[in-house]
């Protein structure tokens, strides 16, 4: 019993340390924007001009201020431009991903057709290939389609991503076949079975896919960097790196604001995310 | 509970999105309100036109100022400005009583100055005038301060006294000769030789006196100059000079000036203080006042219109770059109702006491009269072409250096945006509307800011109107 308690405590300790290490950058990112510009300059001066002294952070600001947020939220319309660019790109991709991935996943989970396994394996392989490998081929195709430097260059390839299919498939795979058959017996066609049986019962998988894809798409950098030229079309993930260390106050305030939608989505979809992860771990 | 927190999260997220929508508009408004609104123009490569305008007045070509001595009271002014006068017409009268009083005071001063000759004159190089000693001066014809010429009579000697001296000397000589003969007979050679020397000396003196007598006993000046010292009448000459004539006199100038002034005053007194015109003409300027005192400037000016009119104006030193003798200008009078073109500049000269230049041009128009105010106008093109911008575009930091703001277009997150860049410039030329700048190295299509609603800084984003 004692041994169990000790090992349990040790485990919690290790987990706490890991948690602190993981949470520390987020904590710093949340407190730094409230420091005055002079304080931030002192904090980051070793980064700009290293003279043997390292960065030291004041966890409680000596001169707390909201000026940076005021400057960002009231006097920087370009921040909103990139914010809504990100919202548009992410939202469009998610909506169309669902439209494309749900039927694909249903087909993979319900129908036995020739080449199904090979096709599914191909989907998994494509899911594992990093963007940098397919970037050039994508560039050539998009250029030929005259979609370069447009939002569609980001949206279209992402809509047909294989990752959502994989996630939603796991959710659909858990639905008992009998439920679907009973619907078919009642005269429902496949679309009706999908709409009335598949989607309600596979909701957790779909929503976990939405949450994970949102987090992925909200922070997407490579595709916009490769396919977009006009700053007007840039998402927020390209705007933040453009602010340099001399605008540190601005950059930190913007980072906090950018964090908010992702936090909201996570809080709202946390349950579904857990269910989705659990479902993918269960073996039939 | 979990559902409640989920619903709450959804609500907060919706609120967040709505707030971001509202702030999108608000931030755009605030950002735009901070942005300066600018008006722009392009650089023009051209030669600058310099327009010179100067106001002036018509004057007669022939003008004569009338001067009188200073500090005399004016009793009556007989003419007014614009009056036609003929030669001999009375212009004004001086107060005779005041004039006579001035003359008397001046004479006293001069006499007092002259009594003390060492103070009056200091001569560096004087020519002494000698005559034989022992002669009496009967009359002195000059006084200290008088200017004499070579050969001029300075004084007369008393001839009777001279003759008596000669007669006495003759007798002495005769007596000494007799005495010498006696010494020779007695073979007293030593005494004889001694008295011979005396006789020779006396003979020389006799000859000198005789020469003076033959000249009539008159002492003449041997050089031109000014008498700085002279013997008094009745005095007996001694070995020193009876007079000293100097042509390098360092005089007490006040005495000379006083003397000259006295002469002028006496001349005025002879004319009973009446000042007359010396020519036909028009009185164009009167600077004396009734009952006031005259000054060293002209009392009035008489202009002779028969020889024609001229227009004179004053321009600054900077304006002289754009006008020269021989240029054709236009003159306008009577608020532009009368314009005379193709008037040739005859004369440009610096004013004595003012930091301006006087410009004159002849005018043959008989409709105009003396004293009319007019405007001279001419324009000239600068020699070389330069890049010109409006005056409002340049902010001057010194006489020749300044800066302009150049608008640059760039693609930003909000689309095409404009920002300003500060460019240092050097001003080479200027007229009323433009600055001519040294080579800027800018594209001719570059937009230059001429006006801004707010203060700008380098790199600031602006709105173009």
């Amino acid at each position: 019993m004692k041994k169990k308690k000790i090992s349990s405590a040790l485990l919690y300790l290790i987990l706490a340390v890991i948690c602190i290490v993981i949470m520390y950058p987020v904590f710093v990112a949340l407190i730094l924007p409230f420091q005055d510009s002079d304080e931030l300059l002192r904090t980051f001066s070793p980064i700009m001009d290293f003279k043997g002294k390292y960065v030291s952070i004041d966890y409680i600001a000596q001169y707390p201020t909201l000026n940076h947020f005021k400057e960002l939220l009231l006097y920087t319309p370009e921040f909103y431009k990139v914010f809504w660019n990100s919202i548009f790109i992410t939202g469009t991709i998610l909506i169309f991903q669902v439209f494309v991935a749900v039927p694909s996943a249903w087909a993979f989970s319900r129908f036995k057709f020739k080449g199904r396994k090979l096709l599914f394996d191909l989907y998994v392989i494509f899911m594992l290939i990093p963007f940098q490998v397919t970037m050039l081929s994508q560039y050539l195709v998009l250029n030929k389609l005259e979609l370069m430097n447009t939002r569609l260059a980001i949206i279209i390839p992402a809509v047909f991503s294989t990752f959502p299919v994989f996630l939603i498939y796991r959710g659909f795979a858990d639905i008992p076949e009998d439920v679907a058959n009973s619907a078919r017996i009642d005269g429902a066609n496949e679309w009706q079975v999908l709409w009335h049986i598949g989607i309600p019962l596979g909701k957790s998988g779909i929503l976990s896919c939405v949450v994970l894809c949102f987090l992925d798409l909200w922070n997407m950098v490579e595709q916009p960097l490769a396919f977009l030229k006009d700053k007007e079309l840039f998402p927020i993930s390209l705007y933040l790196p453009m602010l340099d260390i001399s605008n540190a106050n601005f950059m930190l305030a913007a980072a906090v604001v950018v964090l908010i939608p992702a936090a909201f989505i996570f809080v709202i979809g946390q349950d579904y995310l857990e269910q989705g992860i659990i479902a993918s771990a269960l073996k039939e | 509970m979990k559902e409640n927190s989920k619903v709450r999260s959804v609500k907060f997220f919706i609120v967040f999105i709505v707030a971001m929508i509202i702030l999108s508009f608000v931030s755009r408004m605030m950002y735009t309100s901070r942005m300066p609104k600018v008006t722009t123009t392009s650089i023009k490569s051209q030669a600058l036109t310099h327009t010179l305008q100067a106001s002036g007045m018509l004057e007669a070509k022939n003008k004569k100022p009338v001067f009188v001595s200073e500090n005399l009271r004016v009793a009556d002014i007989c003419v007014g400005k614009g009056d036609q006068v003929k030669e001999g017409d009375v212009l004004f009268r001086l107060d005779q009583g005041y004039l006579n009083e001035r003359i008397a005071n001046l004479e006293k001063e001069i006499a007092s100055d002259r009594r003390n000759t060492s103070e009056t004159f200091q001569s560096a190089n004087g020519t002494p005038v000698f005559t034989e000693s022992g002669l009496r001066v009967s009359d002195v014809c000059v006084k200290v301060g008088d200017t004499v010429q070579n050969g001029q009579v300075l004084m007369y000697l008393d001839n009777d006294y001279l003759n008596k001296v000669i007669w006495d000397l003759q007798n002495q000589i005769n007596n000494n000769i007799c005495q010498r003969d006696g010494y020779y007979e007695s073979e007293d050679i030593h005494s004889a030789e001694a008295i011979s020397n005396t006789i020779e000396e006396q003979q020389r003196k006799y000859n000198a006196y005789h020469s003076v007598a033959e000249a009539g006993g008159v002492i003449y000046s041997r050089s031109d100059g000014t008498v700085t010292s002279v013997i008094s009448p009745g005095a007996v000459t001694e070995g020193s000079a009876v007079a000293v004539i100097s042509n390098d006199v360092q005089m007490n100038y006040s005495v000379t000036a006083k003397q000259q002034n006295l002469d002028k005053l006496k001349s005025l007194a002879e004319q009973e203080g009446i000042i007359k015109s010396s020519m036909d003409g028009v009185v164009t300027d009167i600077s004396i006042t009734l009952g006031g005192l005259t000054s060293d400037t002209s009392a009035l000016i008489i202009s002779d219109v028969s020889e024609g009119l001229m227009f004179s104006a004053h321009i600054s030193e900077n304006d002289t770059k754009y006008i020269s003798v021989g240029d054709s200008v236009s003159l306008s009078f009577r608020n532009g109702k009368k314009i005379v073109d193709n008037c040739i500049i005859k004369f440009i000269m610096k004013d004595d006491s003012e930091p301006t230049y006087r410009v004159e041009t002849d005018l043959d128009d008989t409709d105009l009269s003396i004293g009319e105010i007019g405007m001279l106008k001419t324009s000239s093109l600068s020699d070389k072409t330069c890049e010109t911008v409006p005056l409002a575009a340049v902010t001057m930091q010194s006489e020749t250096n300044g800066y302009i703001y150049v608008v640059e277009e760039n693609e930003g997150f909000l689309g095409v945006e404009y920002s300003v860049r500060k460019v240092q410039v050097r001003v080479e030329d200027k007229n009323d509307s433009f600055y001519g700048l040294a080579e800027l190295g800018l594209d001719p299509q570059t937009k230059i800011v001429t006006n801004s609603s707010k203060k700008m800084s380098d790199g600031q984003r602006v709105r173009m109107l």
Side-chain angles (χ1 to χ4, degrees):
Chain A
M1 193 69 176
K2 208 177 174 182
K3 216 175 175 179
K4 217 177 177 179
K5 274 187 183 171
I6 291 169
S7 63
S8 187
L10 204 63
L11 182 64
Y12 278 129
L13 185 66
I14 291 166
L15 288 172
V17 167
I18 293 168
C19 185
I20 287 169
V21 168
I22 291 168
M23 288 301 295
Y24 183 75
V26 179
F27 171 69
V28 167
L30 287 173
I31 59 168
L32 284 180
F34 294 97
Q35 287 185 357
D36 198 9
S37 301
D38 295 334
E39 274 188 84
L40 280 174
L41 201 65
R42 277 203 305 275
T43 303
F44 288 112
S45 60
I47 298 174
M48 289 188 276
D49 183 21
F50 182 69
K51 286 179 184 168
K53 200 180 158 189
Y54 294 93
V55 170
S56 75
I57 297 170
D58 288 332
Y59 298 108
I60 299 172
Q62 201 175 4
Y63 307 108
T65 178
L66 290 173
N67 274 346
H68 310 316
F69 288 101
K70 185 182 98 179
E71 199 61 36
L72 177 76
L73 295 174
L74 292 181
Y75 296 105
T76 317
E78 57 198 33
F79 174 75
Y80 293 95
K81 180 77 180 181
V82 297
F83 177 83
W84 293 116
N85 278 348
S86 280
I87 292 284
F88 177 79
I89 290 170
T90 307
T92 309
I93 292 171
L94 285 175
I95 289 167
F96 284 97
Q97 260 183 355
V98 167
F99 281 132
V100 167
V102 163
S104 307
W106 181 256
F108 275 119
S109 69
R110 292 295 134 187
F111 302 135
K112 307 277 185 261
F113 52 88
K114 204 173 182 178
R116 170 183 165 276
K117 196 172 181 317
L118 177 65
L119 195 61
F120 191 78
D121 290 340
L122 273 174
Y123 263 60
V124 173
I125 290 166
F126 283 137
M127 194 177 72
L128 295 172
I129 293 173
F131 166 74
Q132 287 81 1
V133 173
T134 58
M135 183 173 73
L136 183 60
S137 51
Q138 277 189 42
Y139 183 94
L140 293 170
V141 170
L142 290 168
N143 195 37
K144 229 19 178 206
L145 293 172
E146 292 180 6
L147 291 176
M148 283 300 291
N149 201 31
T150 65
R151 291 193 187 93
L152 287 175
I154 315 295
I155 293 170
I156 291 175
V159 163
F160 296 100
S161 170
T162 55
F163 181 68
V165 175
F166 181 78
L167 282 178
I168 297 171
Y169 163 80
R170 292 306 321 162
F172 284 158
D174 292 339
I175 298 170
E177 189 61 37
D178 300 332
V179 177
N181 285 336
S182 64
R184 286 190 194 99
I185 289 166
D186 288 339
N189 60 28
E190 284 306 315
W191 286 109
Q192 283 170 321
V193 171
L194 171 63
W195 183 254
H196 293 290
I197 306 291
I199 289 173
L201 292 179
K203 191 172 65 174
S204 60
I206 295 169
L207 289 173
S208 70
C209 166
V210 167
V211 171
L212 284 173
C213 288
F214 177 90
L215 296 173
D216 181 41
L217 294 169
W218 188 248
N219 298 311
M220 181 171 55
V221 170
E222 293 107 338
Q223 290 88 335
L225 197 61
F227 303 137
L228 296 179
K229 200 173 70 167
D230 289 345
K231 283 186 183 168
E232 256 185 303
L233 304 172
F234 278 12
I236 210 162
S237 51
L238 288 189
Y239 174 72
L240 284 178
M242 287 186 139
L243 302 170
D244 55 22
I245 206 81
S246 57
N247 289 335
N249 49 347
F250 212 65
M251 183 172 68
L252 291 163
V256 168
V257 176
V258 167
L259 206 57
I260 295 171
F264 270 119
I265 295 295
F266 183 79
V267 166
I268 294 166
Q270 187 179 9
D271 287 341
Y272 303 108
L273 196 60
E274 284 170 11
Q275 285 166 23
I277 291 168
I278 290 164
S280 64
L282 279 177
K283 288 186 170 45
E284 244 183 85
Chain B
M1 194 72 171
K2 246 186 174 177
E3 281 301 314
N4 281 345
S5 68
K6 212 183 287 183
V7 167
R8 230 190 346 257
S9 301
V10 170
K11 281 182 187 166
F12 282 142
F13 185 59
I14 292 168
V15 167
F16 171 77
I17 294 295
V18 169
M20 292 298 273
I21 292 170
I22 294 167
L23 285 173
S24 299
F25 291 102
V26 169
S27 74
R28 192 71 80 106
M29 277 191 321
M30 305 283 276
Y31 177 74
T32 311
S33 70
R34 262 189 182 182
M35 220 189 277
K37 289 181 222 171
V38 299
T39 47
T40 59
T41 184
S42 307
I43 300 170
K44 285 183 195 144
S45 193
Q46 58 181 344
L48 286 179
T49 305
H50 296 279
T51 304
L52 171 63
Q53 281 191 352
S55 64
M57 200 163 67
L58 279 178
E59 299 171 359
K61 277 189 193 171
N62 183 14
K63 292 185 292 195
K64 188 166 181 183
V66 175
F67 290 100
V68 288
S69 297
E70 267 182 87
N71 296 324
L72 298 175
R73 197 179 299 283
V74 175
D76 187 23
I77 303 175
C78 305
V79 294
K81 203 168 174 179
D83 284 355
Q84 197 85 26
V85 294
K86 288 196 170 54
E87 189 180 344
D89 283 356
V90 174
L91 298 173
F92 59 95
R93 288 193 177 82
L94 299 169
D95 185 332
Q96 274 191 280
Y98 194 87
L99 179 61
N100 292 332
E101 197 182 315
R102 281 286 314 252
I103 291 170
N105 288 338
L106 206 53
E107 280 174 338
K108 278 183 198 163
E109 281 177 35
I110 291 170
S112 165
D113 287 345
R114 283 212 170 112
R115 268 196 289 278
N116 193 354
T117 56
S118 64
E119 283 178 6
T120 307
F121 294 103
Q122 289 172 341
S123 177
N125 298 312
T127 306
V129 178
F130 292 102
T131 190
E132 295 302 319
S133 59
L135 301 175
R136 185 183 291 161
V137 174
S138 67
D139 189 22
V140 176
C141 304
V142 294
K143 56 185 182 304
V144 171
D146 283 354
T147 306
V148 297
Q149 291 172 341
N150 188 8
Q152 184 173 335
V153 174
L154 296 177
M155 60 193 75
Y156 293 100
L157 298 171
D158 188 339
N159 283 328
D160 292 336
Y161 192 89
L162 176 60
N163 290 332
K164 186 177 179 298
V165 166
I166 290 171
W167 177 256
D168 289 343
L169 195 59
Q170 179 73 51
N171 288 337
Q172 281 179 21
I173 291 170
N174 292 337
N175 289 337
N176 287 338
I177 289 171
C178 289
Q179 208 170 353
R180 187 187 62 180
D181 292 341
Y183 285 137
Y184 275 127
E185 285 173 6
S186 63
E187 295 180 356
D188 185 357
I189 306 300
H190 183 74
S191 297
E193 283 176 358
I195 206 166
S196 288
N197 291 335
T198 306
I199 290 167
E200 277 175 25
E201 184 65 36
Q202 285 173 337
Q203 191 65 48
R204 267 200 296 277
K205 241 186 179 173
Y206 174 82
N207 291 337
Y209 284 149
H210 196 70
S211 300
V212 172
E214 277 183 350
V218 182
I219 309 294
Y220 298 95
S221 169
R222 300 241 169 83
S223 63
D224 296 343
T226 306
V227 177
T228 60
S229 164
V230 71
I231 196 168
S232 307
V236 174
T237 61
E238 293 166 5
S240 57
V242 296
V244 176
I245 311 296
S246 173
N247 53 11
D248 184 22
V249 162
Q250 292 167 12
M251 288 194 284
N252 183 335
Y253 286 107
S254 66
V255 174
T256 308
K258 283 178 188 172
Q259 185 62 51
Q260 287 170 354
N261 204 12
L262 181 64
D263 294 339
K264 285 180 192 167
L265 293 179
K266 281 183 176 172
S267 165
L268 284 172
E270 282 167 14
Q271 295 164 21
E272 296 175 357
I274 294 172
I275 309 298
K276 293 180 180 173
S277 171
S278 59
M279 61 186 247
D280 295 351
V282 174
V283 176
T284 52
D285 186 42
I286 301 177
S287 56
I288 50 173
T289 54
L290 188 65
L293 296 178
T294 56
S295 64
D296 58 348
T297 56
S298 61
L300 43 74
I301 295 175
I302 298 174
S303 302
D304 182 5
V305 298
S306 63
E307 292 195 21
L309 298 176
M310 69 170 184
F311 179 84
S312 83
H314 294 271
I315 60 174
S316 65
E317 186 172 354
N318 191 48
D319 289 339
T320 55
K321 288 190 283 194
Y322 310 120
I323 192 170
S324 53
V325 172
D327 282 356
S328 176
V329 301
S330 71
L331 304 174
S332 74
F333 300 90
R334 300 170 189 167
N335 288 326
K337 293 190 187 87
K338 176 87 182 168
I339 294 177
V340 182
D341 291 320
N342 300 321
C343 298
I344 307 297
I345 300 289
K346 290 273 186 257
F347 180 88
I348 300 177
M349 191 173 274
K350 177 126 183 17
D351 287 327
D352 287 333
S353 51
E354 307 288 327
T356 52
Y357 285 73
R358 185 181 164 87
V359 175
E360 287 179 7
T361 168
D362 288 343
L363 197 66
D364 295 325
D365 198 306
T366 52
D367 286 344
L368 299 164
S369 49
I370 291 178
E372 282 203 56
I373 306 290
M375 185 73 78
L376 179 150
K377 201 170 178 180
T378 181
S379 59
S380 65
L381 219 54
S382 43
D383 296 331
K384 55 177 187 171
T385 306
C386 50
E387 291 179 338
T388 64
V389 294
L391 294 182
V394 181
T395 305
M396 296 304 292
Q397 292 171 308
S398 68
E399 270 292 320
T400 54
N401 292 326
Y403 60 86
I404 58 173
Y405 281 108
V406 165
V407 176
E408 289 182 329
E409 192 179 297
N410 34 52
E411 289 283 333
F413 290 100
L414 302 174
V416 173
E417 288 182 308
Y418 301 99
S419 61
V420 290
R421 178 169 61 95
K422 202 188 233 187
V423 175
Q424 293 290 333
V425 296
R426 190 166 55 83
V427 173
E428 290 186 334
D429 199 359
K430 181 191 167 185
N431 67 6
D432 292 336
S433 309
F434 292 94
Y435 280 115
L437 307 176
E439 185 69 40
L440 291 172
L442 294 172
D443 191 281
Q445 302 303 319
T446 306
K447 295 282 181 206
I448 311 292
V449 175
T450 54
N451 190 35
S452 169
S453 61
K454 287 187 170 72
K455 202 168 168 359
M456 294 181 291
S457 56
D458 196 14
Q460 180 162 22
R461 290 201 187 124
V462 296
R463 257 176 80 183
M464 295 237 305
L465 290 176

